Amino acid sequence: MSKLYFTRHGQTIWNVEGKVCGATDIELTELGHEQAKELGEHIKADKDIKIDEIVASPLVRAKNTAEHISGITGIPMHTDMRVIEQNFGKYEGGGRRSEEFTAAKNHFVDNFDGGESMLKVAARVYNILDEMKKDEDKTYLIVAHNGIARIVNSYFYDMTNEEFASYGIKNCELLCYEFKD
């Protein structure tokens, strides 16, 4: 049974400010760079973690996180557009905990006035996960975003609409999943 590892990028200023980052290309903070380096050191030191390849979102916050991990561990990396964060349209840069955005996250078909629906995001993320599942000889680490974390989790576990909409992970938190037949 092959494994998949997942992490969210390091901290950004918009994370600190409680803003919706989405597809907006936001840099890591100094702490975000440190979080990524610490995760790289953790992966390198843990003999039970065996990763063959890192696949990262091309957004700078995830790409830089993956570059730090790759540089420390020696694990090769590349970017893939399929794990880029959802474009939240009119909510980009707005309050992440606002009542309006919290309610909107339950509308899975909505494109948020110029963004991308969660259903379309799930289709592209499920596509890459299906490919990784077939590649039984490799263990991947995906370095992406909180919205992608929720979709990856839904691939492996049944979730209610409320669980899906509220699911989130910390910056540089490392999750492990097992592909099942």
Side-chain angles (χ1 to χ4, degrees), residues 161-180:
N161 286 343
E162 293 78 21
E163 289 168 336
F164 181 86
S166 65
Y167 184 82
I169 67 171
K170 296 176 183 159
N171 296 104
C172 289
E173 181 178 347
L174 186 64
L175 304 177
C176 181
Y177 297 95
E178 288 190 6
F179 288 110
K180 296 181 170 60

Side-chain angles (χ1 to χ4, degrees), residues 119-176:
L119 288 179
K120 288 183 179 174
V121 177
R124 62 179 162 83
V125 173
Y126 277 29
N127 177 269
I128 193 170
L129 293 173
D130 285 344
E131 286 178 16
M132 290 175 171
K133 180 179 179 179
K134 289 178 189 172
D135 195 358
E136 296 175 8
D137 296 335
K138 277 191 178 176
T139 299
Y140 293 92
L141 166 63
I142 295 176
V143 181
H145 311 275
N146 208 32
I148 303 305
R150 134 181 349 112
I151 292 168
V152 168
N153 198 66
S154 76
Y155 182 90
F156 290 94
Y157 300 107
D158 290 336
M159 302 170 79
T160 65
N161 286 343
E162 293 78 21
E163 289 168 336
F164 181 86
S166 65
Y167 184 82
I169 67 171
K170 296 176 183 159
N171 296 104
C172 289
E173 181 178 347
L174 186 64
L175 304 177
C176 181

Side-chain angles (χ1 to χ4, degrees), residues 73-98:
T73 62
I75 301 168
M77 68 150 287
H78 71 275
T79 60
D80 192 305
M81 288 295 293
R82 292 175 291 180
V83 295
I84 198 167
E85 180 62 296
Q86 179 176 356
N87 181 330
F88 290 105
K90 69 180 183 178
Y91 297 109
E92 301 255 334
R96 185 173 54 219
R97 305 215 190 297
S98 73

Side-chain angles (χ1 to χ4, degrees), residues 3-61:
K3 292 182 180 179
L4 171 77
Y5 288 90
F6 183 91
T7 193
R8 180 182 178 198
H9 59 78
Q11 181 194 73
T12 70
I13 191 66
W14 279 17
N15 294 149
V16 174
E17 294 173 349
K19 292 182 179 180
V20 177
C21 294
T24 305
D25 213 2
I26 305 297
E27 298 270 347
L28 294 174
T29 61
E30 190 172 316
L31 176 60
H33 286 285
E34 289 305 313
Q35 289 170 326
K37 291 174 189 173
E38 286 174 15
L39 180 55
E41 294 294 345
H42 169 74
I43 291 169
K44 183 177 179 179
D46 190 329
K47 301 301 179 206
D48 292 330
I49 299 176
K50 293 174 179 43
I51 298 168
D52 299 299
E53 190 173 328
I54 300 169
V55 178
S57 160
L59 292 176
V60 70
R61 60 192 184 268

